[in-house]
Each structure stands twice: as C-alpha cells, then as structure tokens.
Amino acid sequence: MSVSIRSGFESIPSYRAGKPAQLGPDGLSAKLSSNENPYDPLPSVLDALAAALPASVNRYPSIAAPELTAALAARLDVAPENIAFGAGSVEVASQLIHALAGAGDEVMYAWRSFEAYPILVQLAGATPVQVPLTADGAHDLPAMADAITERTKLIFVCNPNNPTGTTVSQADVEAFMQRVPGNVLVVLDEAYVHFNVDADSAVGLDFFKRYPNVAVLHTFSKAYGLAGLRVGYAVAQPEVADALRKAAVPFALSALAQAGGVASLAAEDELQERIDVLVAERERVTTALRAAGLPILESQANFVWIPAGAASDAITEVFAERGVSVRCFSGDGIRISIGARHENDAVIEVSPAAAALL
C-alpha cells in the first residue's frame, strides 16, 4: 500500500529552473535562462560575507533581521513594521497567498507572467485566475478589474513583467486601483525595478503609501546579484506584514543573507554603475536583434522577450548550438537574460539564423 498524495497534486506543474548551457563551437557556455546578474558581488559585499561566515553556520540567524530591517526602512522611508522577509521574493509571494487565500478563494495575475504564480496558488489550495496579456505583451488592467469577483483575495501585478519585460503606467494602475475593492490586496511585484527606466511606470511604494490594500515585493536576487543567498521582502501594512511572518519558514533568511543585504544597501552607488551597464547592454541587444528581424518587445528588465510562437522551440535550439541557454516557453516565446558583453555578442551573432525561423 503506497502513501496517498493529496488529490489534485499531480496536476500542479513543477517549477522549471533555467537550463545550463552546452558548450558552443568556440567553448562558449552562456547561461542566459535564469535572469541572473552576470557580475560577482562587489568586493565590499564579499568582505561582509566573509566576516559573517564564521559565526553564522552553527547558530540560527536572527529571525527578525534587525540590521537589514533598519537599513531597508531608512532606504525606503517606511516603518520597520511594514517589512517582512523571505527566501527570495518568490517565497514572500507564497507567504502572501497562504496568508490571504485558501480553498474557494481566487488569486489573479496576468498571463503569461511569473511562472511561479500558478504553482504557488495551487499549492495553497486556492483558485488561479489568469487574465491574458494584451497583444503587445502588457497587463490588461481593465480586463483584470472586470475579472474581480467576491472570491478574489489577491491580485499580482508584475512590473516589469516577467517574461515580457513590459511595464504598467502610473495612470493605468491609478485607474485600476479605483476599481479594486478595499478588501482585495494588490501586490506590485517589482523584482526587476532597478532596471526600469520608464518614466511613466508605476512606482510601487507610491501606491503603498496611498492605498492600504497595496503591498510591494522586492528582491536582492537581480540588481544586487545575491540570487544564491535568497533575500526577498514585502512592504505592506503592519497587519499584512505580521501575517506574512506567521506564514514564513522560520529562519529562512540566513545570517549570510542578512549581512549581504546590509552590505549591498551600503554599496548602492557602486551597484548602480553595474545596473547602468546592464541597461545599456539591454538596449544594444534589443537594437541588434530587431535589426536582424526578431520582433523584440520593449523591455524594462534585465532580459528581452521574443514572441516567437510556434517557432520558439526551434529558435531555442539554434541558440543552444551556439552555446547559449535561453528560456523557452513553448508556443509563446523566448526570454533571453542580459549577460556579460561577450555572451550578449553571441546572442547577437546567432540572431539572423533565429529570425530566419519565424
């Protein structure tokens, strides 16, 4: 007699991590499938991690993360009570869903958007509600407002959107919030906010400070380059933040993660120089791929999106043969992370062959 797995669990997809790259003909192996920062942490951050390591392995970390909480509260101009942490913003998203939604409740998000949303919603036993993106890969906020029901508990708005890189404007989110009932929490997921240079884009903290039913998600995984340490957080009203702490995995935020976060906040000027380079590389790649004939969307993240439809798998294989791993969403498109310059050069080099398959 075998152990009985929860009914319906077999239909929940597993999260797919980005595939490592195979070796190309010149020995190149460029993993551009996971939206990772191609740069090592800054020397000052590495020094802070080295100093924290000896005393951080055999003891539990502080569950309250007081130093990181204080640094973030000062940086964001919010109260410490507004901040709740998790092992990456994806874990904080899970906390939000478990704290606010259960069986019979609905959690809404655009689709296609962050791949973890439907997984997390189903794991919590809630009902996912997917609202299609517009033809240009953006959130259809009026349609999302139309889809709100009495069962809606939570709405995720990914800005910039993963995987399309599109943004939602301040005006459109303002109009959307006017239609959202006060008992429905709107989560502005801003994992890629540091790469967003769109002056019209909605700013999550602005809405948080004006609407009590708004929370904001941030991460240290992308711009700060701490993906391996898993540091994410929410900015939310105190009662919501307190609920997230109850839903959190105890001690998920390691002492190393906390030290890395504090040191990264202290080095933001240096980090901004790297962000500027990545944004410039994004624009260079976008221009070159468009010139090659690929229909690249305008991205405000650290990746670009090719709406390749049925050709997605074949184009992915063309990149793989060159030693470049990209993220394929079969039947929809391809997301290519911005890497180091030589990796981006390889993407540009193979783009004419990729465009020929469309």
Side-chain angles (χ1 to χ4, degrees):
M1 183 175 182
S2 61
V3 173
S4 178
I5 305 299
R6 193 182 86 192
S7 176
F9 208 79
E10 69 282 352
S11 65
I12 299 176
S14 299
Y15 182 82
R16 296 184 302 117
K19 292 182 179 179
Q22 65 189 42
L23 285 177
D26 60 354
L28 176 71
S29 179
K31 182 173 179 281
L32 303 181
S33 54
S34 295
N35 296 343
E36 294 159 328
N37 192 317
Y39 302 114
D40 293 334
L42 291 169
S44 61
V45 177
L46 290 174
D47 288 344
L49 294 176
L53 180 60
S56 68
V57 177
N58 64 318
R59 302 290 186 185
Y60 289 113
S62 168
I63 203 165
E67 292 85 2
L68 184 54
T69 299
L72 272 175
R75 171 69 178 79
L76 304 176
D77 190 25
V78 299
E81 294 77 17
N82 294 129
I83 299 173
F85 293 102
S89 59
V90 64
E91 203 252 318
V92 186
S94 177
Q95 295 169 14
L96 281 162
I97 296 167
H98 280 275
L100 274 73
D105 296 327
E106 295 176 346
V107 179
M108 186 189 303
Y109 47 88
W111 196 252
R112 178 173 289 277
S113 193
F114 183 31
E115 189 178 3
Y117 292 156
I119 299 172
L120 298 176
V121 174
Q122 292 176 80
L123 285 173
T127 301
V129 176
Q130 300 181 345
V131 178
L133 297 169
T134 62
D136 56 357
H139 280 65
D140 189 340
L141 291 179
M144 293 178 74
D146 290 342
I148 295 172
T149 72
E150 292 182 354
R151 296 169 59 193
T152 306
K153 301 297 182 183
L154 196 61
I155 301 173
F156 284 95
V157 177
C158 191
N159 185 44
N161 186 49
N162 177 14
T164 60
T166 55
T167 59
V168 290
S169 72
Q170 191 87 359
D172 286 347
V173 174
E174 187 68 49
F176 177 67
M177 291 304 304
Q178 295 298 319
R179 297 186 59 189
V180 176
N183 65 331
V184 175
L185 184 69
V186 175
V187 182
L188 294 173
D189 187 344
E190 296 184 332
Y192 302 94
V193 66
H194 295 87
F195 308 103
N196 186 356
V197 296
D198 181 0
D200 293 327
S201 178
V203 177
L205 287 173
D206 288 350
F207 283 93
F208 161 74
K209 291 174 181 179
R210 293 190 293 114
Y211 288 92
N213 61 326
V214 167
V216 182
L217 290 185
H218 286 169
T219 182
F220 282 82
S221 294
K222 309 303 180 185
Y224 294 103
L226 300 183
L229 289 182
R230 314 306 301 130
V231 191
Y233 64 93
V235 180
Q237 295 301 321
E239 61 272 19
V240 175
D242 186 57
L244 299 187
R245 296 183 196 104
K246 293 179 181 179
V249 175
F251 306 110
L253 199 64
S254 71
L256 279 180
Q258 295 178 40
V262 171
S264 294
L265 290 172
E268 281 195 323
D269 289 344
E270 291 180 84
L271 285 165
Q272 186 60 49
E273 295 175 8
R274 293 183 170 185
I275 294 168
D276 293 342
V277 170
L278 282 172
V279 170
E281 280 293 286
R282 179 187 72 201
E283 299 312 308
R284 183 174 76 93
V285 170
T286 297
T287 299
L289 267 56
R290 284 176 177 167
L294 290 168
I296 302 296
L297 298 188
E298 194 67 34
S299 174
Q300 293 295 332
N302 67 336
F303 53 81
V304 295
W305 172 253
I306 307 173
S312 298
D313 289 279
I315 291 176
T316 296
E317 185 57 33
V318 169
F319 281 107
E321 290 172 358
R322 180 61 184 86
V324 177
S325 173
V326 300
R327 188 62 173 265
C328 178
F329 298 89
S330 295
D332 284 346
I334 296 164
R335 189 193 69 198
I336 307 175
S337 305
I338 301 301
R341 187 177 180 87
H342 73 281
E343 295 173 326
N344 301 331
D345 287 342
V347 170
I348 293 170
E349 174 192 322
V350 79
S351 60
L357 295 173
L358 290 175

